[in-house]
Amino acid sequence: MKPDASVFATLALVSVPLCQYAQGTSQQQPNIVLIMCDDMGYSDLGCYGSEIRTPHIDSLAANGLRFSHFLNTGRSCPSRASLLTGHYQHDVGMGWMTAVDEHRPGYRGQVCREVPTIAERMKEAGYMTYMAGKWHLTLEGAFGSPNGSYPVQRGFDRYYGCLSGGGSYSKPKPLYSGLNKIDSLPDDYYYTVALTDSAIKFVRQHPHDVPMFLYVAHYAPHLPLEAPAARIEQCLARYKCGYDELRSRRFERQKLLGLMPYGSEMPIHDREFDGRRPAWDELTEVQQNEWIRSMATYAAMIEIVDEQVGRLIDVIRAEGMLDNTVFIFLSDNGASNEGGYIGQLMADLSNTPYRSYKQWCYYGGTASPLILAYGGAAVGSGQGKVCTDMAHIIDIVPTCLDLAGIYSPDNNYGLPGVSLMDAVVGTGLGGRTFYFEHQGSSAVISDGWKLVRRGKDAPWELIELCRDPFEMYDVSVEHPDVAKHLQSLWNEWAKDHKVLPLEDKPWTERIEYYKRLNPDQSGIE
């Protein structure tokens, strides 16, 4: 399936492909723009099969490289910790959330000082560094009292956004500019647009003789579902056919795009619905209307993000920086089922074709889009391809350091990931072993197998990925030696990487328990 010609309009077409830069040129260090969405599912972009209209992000994919098997940690705070340090989240103190400091090495509620952030690394390489958006790496007990973990204290020259998620698109809290808290906002404020306004200001004020690293961390499309009424109305008609039809359409597009095996059949994940997933026509009219409006709102939120990406690209072009700018686009985890029954049915569509949701270590929680594109890449120079090698969020830091010219296999800063530029030049990423844990849900992927469990007391499931890429069938009984080997690998990793002991207390109980045990919640050592 050929992309519509309109998706190429966003980017200027010149003759400097990404692969040429990766092989080494006389150009200066490239600017890097890292953009992340929050709780956006694997299939929610047009270039990943969706009916949601994302022409600007799709244009990046058309001029770059899409990854079909990119993985994250399954949850916001841990993914952001890995994204910004290049390490597994437990190794930097962010094994759970910012809600509480458990005073356990892997669970401090914020990123430890001992490990540099990507902003600190890029500054060492001569970059000026900027961030707009969701931070979510400072212990909540330290809000209002900078404790060394705020963005401008961890390597970013300038920052605008929320230290937590935000909780609202019209009145996000706590909102900061640098170390200054913002309490007053205009009536027409919308967080997604405001973040881009700040990012654009950073770009326009950036000196052109210095390389730029810009991180834009959108809150959208995280709950609550909020978008202008007119934008929601524009999306309503698309969802009246229901999720069965839309899920089938997305999956067929994914196969045509090369994201899924061509001859594969769309899986139905009944077990996520206690044994039987309801068909669209089994919902009541009230439930159908609620799903349609909620999904239209969700789509509108993503389309607004896409418009803001287009605005940012336009300004970078106007500043004469586009031809030497690399864009990296991803989501922090899969779509969430936190919106009740209707929310789960929405997430089932968003995560097409994968099983489960945000916070669990099945692919529905840990698989997300990843696009790597050079701003001035020519369409006819081998771009627009799909990389089927497995990659991980710990690879983003090595990739940025590689682009900055300070990373090599012999000088990898002790990082466990690899540079994704190897995929760009066609040498591949090789087979690696990846590990996962969040709230007791755990997994290990190695040599074509995946061992995964829903919780710390749940049985392990063994998945043969080449035959079962959608995690439908547990074959641990047929292959007990493989399951035993992978479990030993995971146990060894967990022991060595500050994961143990596992904790699965419910959210509020867990927070209150550790606050009683450790009253000091300042995050200062």
Side-chain angles (χ1 to χ4, degrees):
M1 183 175 73
K2 294 183 179 180
D4 189 284
S6 65
V7 304
F8 301 136
T10 301
L11 299 178
L13 305 182
V14 297
S15 59
V16 185
L18 180 56
C19 59
Q20 179 180 331
Y21 174 81
Q23 293 169 346
T25 72
S26 60
Q27 295 182 50
Q28 64 182 17
Q29 293 165 296
N31 305 302
I32 300 172
V33 178
L34 174 62
I35 305 172
M36 185 159 71
C37 277
D38 194 335
D39 287 7
M40 187 183 73
Y42 180 84
S43 70
D44 280 332
L45 298 175
C47 55
Y48 277 78
S50 182
E51 72 292 333
I52 298 174
R53 295 165 186 169
T54 55
H56 302 97
I57 298 170
D58 294 349
S59 72
L60 294 178
N63 286 276
L65 188 68
R66 264 169 300 170
F67 289 76
S68 62
H69 290 79
F70 176 74
L71 303 173
N72 51 63
T73 74
R75 196 67 174 269
S76 176
C77 300
S79 282
R80 290 161 204 279
S82 292
L83 177 78
L84 291 184
T85 66
H87 289 271
Y88 283 109
Q89 64 270 29
H90 306 82
D91 285 329
V92 296
M94 200 64 256
W96 191 50
M97 305 294 287
T98 59
V100 65
D101 181 357
E102 299 182 7
H103 286 262
R104 298 191 290 149
Y107 301 88
R108 299 307 308 270
Q110 63 186 31
V111 173
C112 66
R113 288 292 309 178
E114 294 76 19
V115 178
T117 67
I118 188 172
E120 290 165 334
R121 296 282 195 201
M122 297 303 284
K123 285 178 71 67
E124 293 173 2
Y127 280 71
M128 291 191 70
T129 58
Y130 310 96
M131 180 181 171
K134 178 177 175 178
W135 178 240
H136 221 185
L137 293 174
T138 288
L139 186 68
E140 291 177 16
F143 289 174
S145 301
N147 65 348
S149 72
Y150 286 32
V152 293
Q153 297 175 313
R154 293 309 312 265
F156 287 99
D157 292 315
R158 299 179 66 181
Y159 170 72
Y160 174 88
C162 272
L163 296 184
S164 66
S168 167
Y169 290 84
S170 59
K171 296 180 180 180
K173 296 179 181 181
L175 188 63
Y176 275 80
S177 175
L179 294 177
N180 299 313
K181 191 168 183 289
I182 300 172
D183 294 315
S184 179
L185 296 173
D187 292 339
D188 61 349
Y189 185 93
Y190 191 72
Y191 193 28
T192 303
V193 176
L195 294 180
T196 305
D197 289 343
S198 288
I200 286 173
K201 182 184 295 184
F202 297 157
V203 171
R204 285 177 171 158
Q205 296 176 351
H206 175 75
H208 288 197
D209 58 344
V210 179
M212 174 185 72
F213 177 79
L214 171 62
Y215 172 37
V216 182
H218 284 289
Y219 187 40
H222 191 290
L223 293 174
L225 298 175
E226 295 179 2
R231 300 301 301 266
I232 298 171
E233 292 298 319
Q234 292 173 10
C235 298
L236 281 172
R238 271 176 268 167
Y239 295 96
K240 292 182 178 179
C241 62
Y243 49 74
D244 288 329
E245 176 65 24
L246 288 169
R247 196 164 181 268
S248 178
R249 291 179 191 173
R250 287 192 184 194
F251 187 65
E252 291 305 311
R253 290 193 199 103
Q254 289 173 339
K255 290 193 288 186
L256 290 172
L257 291 167
L259 296 165
M260 293 296 149
Y262 185 74
S264 58
E265 296 183 4
M266 185 179 68
I268 303 297
H269 299 296
D270 287 329
R271 75 182 75 188
E272 305 307 315
F273 292 86
D274 295 325
R276 187 175 180 277
R277 174 183 171 276
W280 171 251
D281 60 11
E282 293 177 314
L283 298 188
T284 67
E285 183 177 355
V286 171
Q287 288 174 321
Q288 288 182 346
N289 288 335
E290 182 183 353
W291 187 89
I292 291 167
R293 180 158 290 277
S294 296
M295 199 67 216
T297 306
Y298 179 86
M301 294 165 74
I302 293 176
E303 292 184 358
I304 293 170
V305 168
D306 181 76
E307 287 184 358
Q308 301 312 303
V309 171
R311 286 182 62 210
L312 183 58
I313 292 172
D314 285 344
V315 170
I316 290 172
R317 180 194 290 112
E319 292 294 320
M321 300 164 63
L322 184 64
D323 293 349
N324 194 40
T325 296
V326 174
F327 295 88
I328 302 173
F329 183 95
L330 71 159
S331 179
D332 63 344
N333 45 251
S336 172
N337 69 336
E338 293 167 337
Y341 187 57
I342 297 301
Q344 182 176 1
L345 291 168
M346 292 171 61
D348 192 58
L349 171 62
S350 291
N351 290 337
T352 301
Y354 290 127
R355 171 186 173 188
S356 194
Y357 318 100
K358 164 188 171 180
Q359 81 176 278
W360 289 284
C361 294
Y362 300 97
Y363 281 156
T366 62
S368 80
L370 175 69
I371 300 167
L372 178 61
Y374 207 92
V379 172
S381 59
Q383 304 305 303
K385 292 184 177 180
V386 173
C387 175
T388 59
D389 289 349
M390 195 166 287
H392 193 280
I393 200 165
I394 59 174
D395 298 331
I396 300 299
V397 170
T399 302
C400 292
L401 298 182
D402 194 8
L403 287 164
I406 61 173
Y407 175 90
S408 72
D410 296 327
N411 180 27
N412 69 351
Y413 296 87
L415 297 170
V418 301
S419 171
L420 299 178
M421 300 307 291
D422 292 338
V424 173
V425 300
T427 57
L429 302 177
R432 294 181 284 161
T433 298
F434 297 104
Y435 299 92
F436 306 83
E437 189 281 329
H438 183 67
Q439 294 185 163
S441 183
S442 315
V444 53
I445 299 174
S446 184
D447 198 25
W449 297 91
K450 180 175 181 179
L451 192 71
V452 59
R453 62 182 176 183
R454 184 176 179 85
K456 77 180 186 70
D457 296 322
W460 287 99
E461 301 173 53
L462 180 66
I463 310 296
E464 190 174 6
L465 292 173
C466 62
R467 296 185 178 182
D468 181 19
F470 310 128
E471 303 175 288
M472 299 286 286
Y473 309 107
D474 175 16
V475 295
S476 57
V477 173
E478 294 87 341
H479 301 280
D481 291 343
V482 176
K484 183 178 179 180
H485 171 64
L486 292 180
Q487 187 173 350
S488 68
L489 287 181
W490 188 89
N491 287 336
E492 183 178 351
W493 170 78
K495 180 181 177 181
D496 293 342
H497 291 264
K498 307 176 184 177
V499 179
L500 302 176
L502 296 182
E503 177 65 86
D504 64 350
K505 292 182 180 67
W507 182 282
T508 301
E509 181 183 338
R510 180 170 182 169
I511 294 170
E512 294 305 318
Y513 173 80
Y514 283 104
K515 282 185 176 180
R516 288 194 303 269
L517 198 63
N518 304 291
D520 180 9
Q521 291 292 311
S522 67
I524 298 175
E525 287 297 306

